[in-house]
Each structure stands twice: as C-alpha cells, then as structure tokens.
Amino acid sequence: MNTNLAPTYKKLFGENWILWFALSNSYSIIEPEFNLLLESYLKSSSNADFSTMISNNINVLESESISETLFNYLKDCNKPYISPEIDSIVLDTSKRHISKQYDFKGQTIQIYYDTELVLKTVHPALSYYCTEIKNEVSATFDIYLKNDDLFLFKDQQLISQVSKHKYHLMQGKFIMQLLCTLHNKEENDWIGTFHGSTVTDGNSSILFVGNSGKGKSTLCALLTANGFDLLADDVSPMLSEDNEIYYNPSAISIKQGAFNLLEPLVSNFKDIPIVKFNKTKGNLKYIPCTKPKKDHYPCRSIILVNYKVKSETKLEPISVKTILETIIPDSWLSPNPLHAKQFLDWLATLEIYQLTYSDTQSVTNEISKLFKQLNKKV
Amino acid sequence: MKKDNNIDKITRKEAIQKMGKYAALTAVGTFVILNPLKAQSSSPPDPGGDPFD
C-alpha cells in the first residue's frame, strides 16, 4: 500500500536502517522495529490487511493509529524537493570598483568586488593566491551588493542572488564554482559539499565535522603544523567520478579564541594579518597551507570534533546516526539518485569516531595512529 | 517467487507478534528525517555575527 511513497534506497548500518527518498532528497534513520512495521505497511494491500498482519496483540484502534503514523511519516519523507530557481539578471559592470586576480598554479581567476565589505566575504581566505601579474583568466567572477542582495556572477552568468544576511550561501556557491573551474568539473559532477574540514597524510584523508566553535579548524591547523596537509577547510567537496574529496584552496580560518594555542605551533602565526569581519567571531586569521601533492584523496573516516578544556584525548567510535545528524543538515548533497547511492555506499566503508581533545601533542599522535590504521586496511 | 513472498509475510508477522504491543506502539515514534541543504553553503554566521547588519 502506498508503495509510491517507499524509499528509493535503503541500507543497513549496524542495527539502524538509513533510507533515502528521491522525491525529497531526504534521508531517514530508523530502528529495526520501525523498519519491520514500515515494510509490513508497504507490502500490505490495504489498511485492513496491515491490521490483520499486526492484529494478534494490537487492537483495531491501535493498528489504525500505527497505520496513520506510518502514512504521515512517508508523506513527510516525500515532500517534493524544489531546486532553487535562478533569475536571468544582467551583470551590472558599473559595480566593478575593486579588481583582484588569484593565481592557482596555472589557473588565474579574476574577481571584481564593489566594496571592501563585500571583498571580505571571499578575499581573505584566498588572499595568498592574489597576484599583481596580469594573466589570461580561466573564469571571471563579479560579487556585489545591490538593494540589500548579494549577487554572484561567473563569466557574466548569474550564479546566486541572496539576501546580504545570507552571505554564507553566496560564499558556498562561489566555492562550488571555484572548485568547478579549478578541477574542470560541472556542478552536477559532485556528490556533495560536506560542512567540515579534511586533512590528508598523502595516502587517504579524514573528514572532521562538528558544530561551530568545537575546534575543527583549530585541529586542522594543528595537524598541518605537524606534517599533514589540508585538503579542504569548512567546505569539503566529494566528486562522483571517484568518490574522493577534492582540494579546496581556501585558507584555514581561525577565530581569536584559538590564537594563543596556535601561536607557538604554527610558524609565523604572529605575522598573519588579522581580519575583522564579523562581530561575534571577532578577529580572524587565515592560515595558508601547502597544497597536498594530489588534488584528491579517498576519505576513510569521519571524526566528530569536540574540543574540551583540560580533557584527555579520547577517540571513541560513534554511530552513523550521530554523524549523519551532524553532517546532513549542514551539507549540500546532490539530489541525483546515483549520487545518493554513492554517498550511502561510501558511508558504509567509513570508520566513524568522536574525538575529545585539549592536548595538542597527544591529539596529533592519535590522528597519526588512526591514519596508519586506515592505510593498513586498504 | 509467490511462495517466498508468503514466507516473508509469515516471518514478518511472527516478528511483529514477537515485538509485542508496547514495542510496536513506541517503535513508530522513533525515526529521524534529515534534509540536506538545497544549496552549497559555507559556515553560517554565529547569532549576532552578521557583518551586514
């Protein structure tokens, strides 16, 4: 019954099932008992048939209530996914007040900004690539503010128009387009962009996730100061072609709260200019990182980061449910069924942990150990 | 194939019976639905941290 509402994919992770619904691009995590009832519901020919199936110890009213809950659940899982529409707006070239070029080893990107404030949404994380030498450009971006909306154009095509208060969505679109240009891909080649930072040891990579202020970027800065390479900070893109995480050139953004911790550990930290952008985040520093040898690495582990003052370093396995509850609402995941399947298949191969830390040396040792363990498995 | 479906049905029925009334009634309340973002994003500003305010 209502089989048109059934999940497109389902996969068992330990005891829990993860379902994916194509119509809504939503993921659902259910327990084995729920799965049993849902399967019975979907395979029943009618409410009466379902009622018979579960009737021995459940009365009619209770069975109707279960049936209704399952139907409402399925309806919620099938709310149609509507892709955001983009208007066709003509680029206003009179807004080109500030011009910057960025050289990413052979590929040059031109960006025009209208004001210093708008420049601060994108430039500080890429400032290390800024060049005075005029090269032939691979792509031209325009970013400006007009009537309280932020506009992003790539090669004169409107990519994003958002309220200025949602500037992080413009930043996300910009990074996506930058990645497409640098890696010679289209937006629909990507499985998703995870909200988290990825570090590599040259063989594989680990994705660090966690809420704002939990020390993801600080940990990545620590690790890069100890022989690892940053693959991506804040936005970690995964490509469908090879299921690997790709290089994002943005520098690591560090909040003022972590300055003291990192100063003795990151070379020339004192000389890194302070960027004042955001009232609550306060001062920021962007740490430049050496590009890893390759553009992309397989990711074999996700770690939920939890910086806790004076805590011992602890790396504990956690459930896929906990990690998905952290990742999915903060990440863009492609609605393409192939990509959703790839995402689920990839999840099944991962080692998933929570890391509690405060001591910088022991956390580095712990991550080194984990990388060795992950590489051995391959 | 039909026989297999019947076996499936009997197994499911048995499993539901085994689960018991209380477990079945509480089980339907234990699900999580997660929706990814519809567009790429970088870290959103912390509350009160909007530079465009």
Side-chain angles (χ1 to χ4, degrees):
Chain A
M1 146 173 78
N2 292 313
T3 46
N4 58 323
L5 300 178
T8 314
Y9 297 126
K10 53 191 292 191
K11 207 170 176 82
L12 187 62
F13 288 80
E15 280 215 319
N16 289 328
W17 286 89
I18 299 181
L19 318 181
W20 181 73
F21 297 83
L23 197 63
S24 57
N25 189 27
S26 55
Y27 292 80
S28 179
I29 307 161
I30 59 171
E31 293 182 3
E33 292 82 6
F34 187 105
N35 181 56
L36 190 59
L37 289 166
L38 185 66
E39 273 196 349
S40 306
Y41 176 87
L42 289 166
K43 290 201 171 156
S44 299
S45 55
S46 63
N47 270 328
D49 186 23
F50 178 64
S51 196
T52 317
M53 168 81 89
I54 62 171
S55 65
N56 269 19
N57 45 15
I58 291 171
N59 68 37
V60 177
L61 273 179
E62 287 163 344
S63 137
E64 276 175 4
S65 150
I66 291 178
S67 180
E68 200 185 324
T69 308
L70 290 171
F71 178 61
N72 287 334
Y73 162 79
L74 287 169
K75 267 200 318 193
D76 283 345
C77 290
N78 281 283
K79 284 184 181 154
Y81 174 93
I82 300 158
S83 306
E85 273 184 33
I86 295 179
D87 294 337
S88 54
I89 287 174
V90 178
L91 169 71
D92 182 352
T93 49
S94 72
K95 293 278 191 180
R96 290 180 165 178
H97 302 308
I98 303 168
S99 167
K100 299 274 183 201
Q101 282 202 355
Y102 305 85
D103 182 14
F104 300 95
K105 286 199 178 155
Q107 293 221 60
T108 303
I109 305 290
Q110 166 77 53
I111 309 181
Y112 294 105
Y113 307 93
D114 63 334
T115 60
E116 285 292 332
L117 182 59
V118 169
L119 173 135
K120 280 187 183 176
T121 57
V122 164
H123 175 77
L126 301 178
S127 59
Y128 300 101
Y129 299 94
C130 205
T131 174
E132 294 299 320
I133 306 158
K134 298 287 170 213
N135 290 314
E136 194 184 325
V137 298
S138 303
T140 302
F141 291 91
D142 284 80
I143 307 174
Y144 59 78
L145 193 61
K146 199 173 187 181
N147 301 328
D148 282 348
D149 274 354
L150 267 172
F151 291 80
L152 167 70
F153 288 83
K154 181 185 183 185
D155 297 329
Q156 311 218 358
Q157 290 283 314
L158 181 66
I159 301 292
S160 164
Q161 178 187 354
V162 291
S163 153
K164 63 182 182 182
H165 303 297
K166 291 189 175 168
Y167 67 93
H168 54 281
L169 295 179
M170 185 280 291
Q171 287 174 326
K173 276 281 172 201
F174 169 76
I175 293 167
M176 177 87 265
Q177 291 304 322
L178 177 67
L179 294 168
C180 286
T181 304
L182 297 184
H183 299 295
N184 200 17
K185 303 291 171 204
E186 304 280 332
E187 189 172 323
N188 55 20
D189 292 329
W190 302 93
I191 291 175
T193 51
F194 304 117
H195 179 217
S197 305
T198 310
V199 163
T200 176
D201 68 339
N203 293 303
S204 64
S205 66
I206 298 176
L207 170 64
F208 295 92
V209 300
N211 294 332
S212 174
K214 288 288 182 185
K216 295 186 295 278
S217 294
T218 309
L219 178 62
C220 288
L222 269 176
L223 294 172
T224 54
N226 282 283
F228 297 97
D229 285 326
L230 180 80
L231 192 55
D233 183 47
D234 195 40
V235 176
S236 296
M238 179 174 269
L239 192 73
S240 166
E241 198 181 299
D242 52 15
N243 255 55
E244 296 193 348
I245 298 206
Y246 274 62
Y247 177 61
N248 172 354
S250 308
I252 309 181
S253 105
I254 297 292
K255 295 175 190 169
Q256 187 156 19
F259 287 4
N260 287 343
L261 181 87
L262 292 175
E263 203 175 298
L265 303 166
V266 176
S267 54
N268 305 323
F269 189 83
K270 261 192 171 167
D271 304 332
I272 298 174
I274 286 175
V275 178
K276 287 183 184 181
F277 176 56
N278 174 318
K279 280 176 235 154
T280 52
K281 282 191 179 168
N283 295 335
L284 295 172
K285 283 197 179 205
Y286 288 87
I287 304 179
C289 296
T290 318
K291 186 183 174 297
K293 276 201 183 105
K294 292 199 292 176
D295 277 341
H296 50 101
Y297 291 89
C299 177
R300 304 219 165 91
S301 176
I302 304 185
I303 296 181
L304 180 64
V305 180
N306 183 23
Y307 177 83
K308 219 171 172 184
V309 182
K310 290 183 183 164
S311 66
E312 270 182 41
T313 302
K314 255 193 303 184
L315 190 67
E316 307 156 285
I318 51 166
S319 71
V320 73
K321 180 170 180 262
T322 309
I323 214 75
L324 287 185
E325 282 173 337
T326 309
I327 297 180
I328 293 184
D330 280 344
S331 300
W332 168 75
L333 292 174
S334 156
N336 179 336
L338 167 70
H339 295 165
K341 188 172 183 306
Q342 287 182 308
F343 172 63
L344 288 175
D345 290 345
W346 168 67
L347 266 183
T349 67
L350 294 177
E351 294 195 11
I352 301 172
Y353 298 99
Q354 172 168 271
L355 173 71
T356 310
Y357 82 98
S358 67
D359 180 66
T360 56
Q361 190 51 54
S362 70
V363 77
T364 309
N365 295 343
E366 200 64 44
I367 299 302
S368 301
K369 231 163 62 188
L370 178 61
F371 263 120
K372 278 185 195 144
Q373 184 187 312
L374 294 170
N375 294 333
K376 246 190 222 165
K377 272 179 73 180
V378 181
Chain B
M1 195 66 203
K2 205 170 178 187
K3 202 176 165 193
D4 284 350
N5 281 343
N6 272 337
I7 291 167
D8 259 12
K9 202 169 172 178
I10 293 161
T11 321
R12 263 201 308 278
K13 187 168 178 143
E14 277 171 2
I16 290 175
Q17 312 284 319
K18 234 187 242 171
M19 197 195 302
K21 175 177 162 171
Y22 177 74
L25 286 169
T26 49
V28 286
T30 55
F31 60 83
V32 176
I33 303 171
L34 300 167
N35 294 302
L37 299 173
K38 286 187 177 169
Q40 299 84 10
S41 174
S42 67
S43 281
D46 296 333
D50 186 344
F52 289 99
D53 267 341

